[in-house]
């Protein structure tokens, strides 16, 4: 029998619906019926693009809450709305795929490339057709609001974000080693709460890898071949078997490429008359071989779920560089010249193990999750350098000068994480602990040949031992402040405490450095929901940017003897205060998300270049005084029906860099921005075309600007073999316009440098799936939802 109804009193039910990959489900029908009469609907709602739903004005009583969506099993839960419990927050609910139902069903609805959340964006990576044969870096180049420079450096609003892999800190930081075909989605979190690492000082990029979880036995494979200035190829394979309570999935990806690169450098040394003009021309030939393996084991128990993941990445790179340098005097007459040839061989591997456990309580509002991961990386880089002096007519002078460098790195990153949440009052309490352990041993050696014998350079030979511990505790409360017919105000308030201990020692030089500090990081968020598809959010958080291991390592890269790079073991962390105001609203065929942001940083870590008296430039990271960034970021989504859909994203921001503490007198200011237009065109059944245009304006550095970058990609995909296969044709950088570089200008020198990689390429891909037709994990794109 149903509970009695009380007049003049009502309640509210809200929650979020996700699929098994934790991606939000939009347009899900959620409704209430009486337990004894399932045919009579009391009230209902439809989920928005965040998967969120709210049912208001529910009379007090006991009901059966149901959620239905094509291709998923119906979710059913019994709830009670009472005087003491009028606000029911169901939290995050998961709809399981109904593979039996979908074996004979063709679903043609498109999956959105961009999904908006109050904290940021979720990018469905498989919807980017133009990067099927590329790496994670290639995918990020065409991801809204993300900027990737010509050398693969990733920035968000002018600064580098924290990059996580499946939500954890990982040694797999070289995103060139991760195939785009293995990525399910990318979470862009620009306003993180207390549950996230404080080192997310400029936001988070969380890369979610694909994970086969369909019932039964399923598999997929794909191959691709292409040609730019030289050839490139890739292949992928995936297999999974799911019995319901147990799932095993394995995948293998590889990428092979032979690529070229050209670098032009022109410098003026104002204070060195005999070496006044420097002209450099460099040509590289790089051979890349990447292999990736992944294994997932998941077992569901009555009281919880246990998951195991193993990732392995192996990289081989052979790089051959030819660099010609010419010095001229101030009057234009010849001073000196040389030709420098470098043979650089790099071998690297990463092995990562992760164990996750989720405990099931009787109360569905109570959650506990534990995670343990350990990531081991090994890297060897050997470089042989041959320098030949040349006369004004380019003829050789004397014997070549030989050098060689060796750099071996062995390291580990271990994470332990415990998160707990439960309903507290009308909201939800979250708390947890995280431990991060980092250690590395960097063995570097530089040797010069003297009288036919290689002798070590003492200042550039040694071992850096580095260890770091970060203990973090956080507590956070979130929930509604009030409910009425037109709006709801939600809050999120948290505090994170982190204790950092690190130490480094340079042997045999005897140099040591260490840092021990305790920091508090508050975060606050207020969200006003105008409707289920419209909200306004104000967020504040305090964060930190700790120097990376690469930035601390004092080893000097002398591949270009006249433009050298090194680390700085004396770097301090940067402290950041950030504000963001986010407005989002969706209409029937369009949607807009606009963010106004402000970021103030003290002691930011930025590259600084000095000119030595011998004409050599040395660049290394330094703590500059301050950096302030403020601007506007927006995404506009649109649809004209079944033929044309897309999104336009842009950001405009002002940078103010004050580096007076390191001798840069002028305040460097720059208005910068980037623009991306992604178009999806469907002209006939099973065929899809995608055209992407990207423009990134100049961005301020400490001593100049990074140059503008722009390009266009195009791709076409056609279903074949009764829709189990995919044939793709891809054109990257159609107009061969993707160039990078920077301009530096100081009282001592002016340096203009340009980079050009063979980004224009043509690729053909072919893929096939078997088993479950609905969820094609390897090649899933906007044809399936």
């Amino acid at each position: 029998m149903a509970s009695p109804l009380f007049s003049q009193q009502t309640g509210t039910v809200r929650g979020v619906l996700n699929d098994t990959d934790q991606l939000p489900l939009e347009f899900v029908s959620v409704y209430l019926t009486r337990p004894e009469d399932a045919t009579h609907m009391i009230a209902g709602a439809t989920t928005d693009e965040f998967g969120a739903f709210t049912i208001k004005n529910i009379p007090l009583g006991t009901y059966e809450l149901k959620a239905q969506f094509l291709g998923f099993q119906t979710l059913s839960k019994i709830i009670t709305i009472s005087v003491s419990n009028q606000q029911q927050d169901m939290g995050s609910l998961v709809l399981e795929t109904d593979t039996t139902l979908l074996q004979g069903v063709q679903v043609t609805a498109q999956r959105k490339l961009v999904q908006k959340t109050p904290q940021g964006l979720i990018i469905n990576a498989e919807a980017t057709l133009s990067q099927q044969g590329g790496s994670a870096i290639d995918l990020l180049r065409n991801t809204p609001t993300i900027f990737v420079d010509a050398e693969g450096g990733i920035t968000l609003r002018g600064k580098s974000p924290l990059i996580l892999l499946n939500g954890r800190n990982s040694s797999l930081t070289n995103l060139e080693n991760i195939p785009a075909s293995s990525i399910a989605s990318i979470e862009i979190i620009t306003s993180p709460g207390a549950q996230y690492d404080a080192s997310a000082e400029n936001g988070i990029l969380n890369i979610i890898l694909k994970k086969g979880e369909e019932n039964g036995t399923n598999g997929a494979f794909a191959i691709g071949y292409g040609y730019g200035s030289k050839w490139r190829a890739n292949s992928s394979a995936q297999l999974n078997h799911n019995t319901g309570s147990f799932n095993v999935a394995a995948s293998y990806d590889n990428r092979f490429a032979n690529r070229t690169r050209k670098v032009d450098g022109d410098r003026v040394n104002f204070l060195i008359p005999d070496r006044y003009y420097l002209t450099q021309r460099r040509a590289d030939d790089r051979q890349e071989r990447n292999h990736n393996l992944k294994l997932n084991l998941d077992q569901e128990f009555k009281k919880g779920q246990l998951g195991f993941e193993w990732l392995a990445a192996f990289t081989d790179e052979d790089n051959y560089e030819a660099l010609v340098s010419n010095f001229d005097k101030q009057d234009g007459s010849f001073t000196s010249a040389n030709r420098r040839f470098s043979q650089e061989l790099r071998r690297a591997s990463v092995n990562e193990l992760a164990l996750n456990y989720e405990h099931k309580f009787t109360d569905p509002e109570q959650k506990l999750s534990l995670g343990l991961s350990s990531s081991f990386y090994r890297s060897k880089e050997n470089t042989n350098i041959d320098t030949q002096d040349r006369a004004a007519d380019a003829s050789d002078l004397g014997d070549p000068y030989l050098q060689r460098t060796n750099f071996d790195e062995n390291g580990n990153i271990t994470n332990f994480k415990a998160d707990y949440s439960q309903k507290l009052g009308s909201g939800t309490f979250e708390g947890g602990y995280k431990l991060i352990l980092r250690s590395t041993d960097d063995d570097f050696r530089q040797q010069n040949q003297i009288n036919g014998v290689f002798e070590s350079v003492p200042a550039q030979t040694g071992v850096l031992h580095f260890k770091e511990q970060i203990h973090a505790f956080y507590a956070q409360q979130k929930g509604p402040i009030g409910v009425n017919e037109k709006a709801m105000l939600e809050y999120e308030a948290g505090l994170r405490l982190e204790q950092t201990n690190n130490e480094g020692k340079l042997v045999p030089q005897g140099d040591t450095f260490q840092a021990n500090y305790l920091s508090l990081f508050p975060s606050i968020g207020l969200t006003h929901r105008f409707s289920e598809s419209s909200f306004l959010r104000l967020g504040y958080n305090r964060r930190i940017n700790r120097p990376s291991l690469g930035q601390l390592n004092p080893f000097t890269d002398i591949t270009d003897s006249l433009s050298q790079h090194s680390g700085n073991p004396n770097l301090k962390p940067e402290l950041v205060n950030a504000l963001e105001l986010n407005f989002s609203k969706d209409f029937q065929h369009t949607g807009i998300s606009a963010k106004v942001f402000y970021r103030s940083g003290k002691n930011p870590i930025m590259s600084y270049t000095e000119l030595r008296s011998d004409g050599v430039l040395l660049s290394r990271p330094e703590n500059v005084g301050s950096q302030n960034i403020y601007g506007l970021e927006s995404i506009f989504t649109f649809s004209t029906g079944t033929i044309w859909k897309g999104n336009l994203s842009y950001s405009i921001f002002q940078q103010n860099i004050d580096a007076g503490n390191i001798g840069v007198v002028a305040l460097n200011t720059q208005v910068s921005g980037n623009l991306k237009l992604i178009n999806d065109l469907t002209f006939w059944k099973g065929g899809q075309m995608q055209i992407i245009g990207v423009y990134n304006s100049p961005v301020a550095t400490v001593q100049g600007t990074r140059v503008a970058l722009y390009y266009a990609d195009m791709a076409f995909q056609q279903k074949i073999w009764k829709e189990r296969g995919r044939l793709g044709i891809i054109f990257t950088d159609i107009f061969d316009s993707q160039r990078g570089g920077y301009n530096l200008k100081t009282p001592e020198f002016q340096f203009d440098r340009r980079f050009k990689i063979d980004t224009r390429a043509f690729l053909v891909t072919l893929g096939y799936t078997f088993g479950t037709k609905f969820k094609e994990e390897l090649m899933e794109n906007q044809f399936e939802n």
Side-chain angles (χ1 to χ4, degrees), residues 159 198-199 201 517 521 543-547 571-577 599-606 623-628:
K159 291 284 289 184
S199 54
E201 51 96 17
Y517 50 91
F521 303 97
R543 297 286 157 177
I544 191 171
N545 178 25
R546 300 181 182 89
L571 290 175
K572 299 176 182 179
E574 173 189 8
L575 292 174
V576 175
N577 290 286
R599 178 187 180 282
S600 176
K602 182 180 179 181
N603 292 326
I605 301 171
M606 307 185 75
N623 288 113
V624 305
S626 64
Q627 181 188 35
N628 297 321

Side-chain angles (χ1 to χ4, degrees), residues 49-50 112 114-123 144-145 157 188 190-191 533-537 580-587 590-597 631-638 646-652:
E49 64 181 39
F50 317 118
K112 287 187 176 182
V114 180
Q115 294 176 319
K116 294 171 284 185
T117 71
Q119 287 75 34
L121 304 171
I122 298 176
I123 307 299
T145 73
R157 301 172 179 174
I188 304 174
T190 57
S191 183
S533 61
S534 177
F535 69 85
L536 179 69
R537 183 179 191 273
E580 178 179 285
L581 181 64
N582 179 9
F583 172 75
S584 178
K585 183 172 179 58
D586 286 322
F587 305 92
T590 60
I592 187 170
S593 173
K595 301 177 182 179
V596 178
F597 57 88
L632 170 67
E633 180 180 86
S634 184
I635 295 180
F636 175 71
T637 59
F638 57 88
N647 70 82
L648 173 68
S649 64
Y650 67 89
S651 62
I652 301 174

Side-chain angles (χ1 to χ4, degrees), residues 137-193:
I137 286 291
D138 296 316
L139 182 62
L140 288 170
R141 290 186 198 279
N142 289 339
T143 297
T145 73
I146 299 298
F147 171 68
V148 181
D149 65 26
E151 295 190 290
I154 301 169
T155 57
L156 178 64
R157 301 172 179 174
K159 291 284 289 184
S160 299
L162 171 66
I163 298 177
L164 302 177
L165 189 66
N166 285 350
R168 60 180 181 264
N169 308 87
S170 172
S171 298
L172 198 56
T173 55
N174 185 358
L175 300 186
E176 287 283 7
N177 296 342
I178 302 178
S181 60
S182 68
I183 299 174
S185 63
I186 300 173
E187 297 177 355
I188 304 174
I189 304 171
T190 57
S191 183

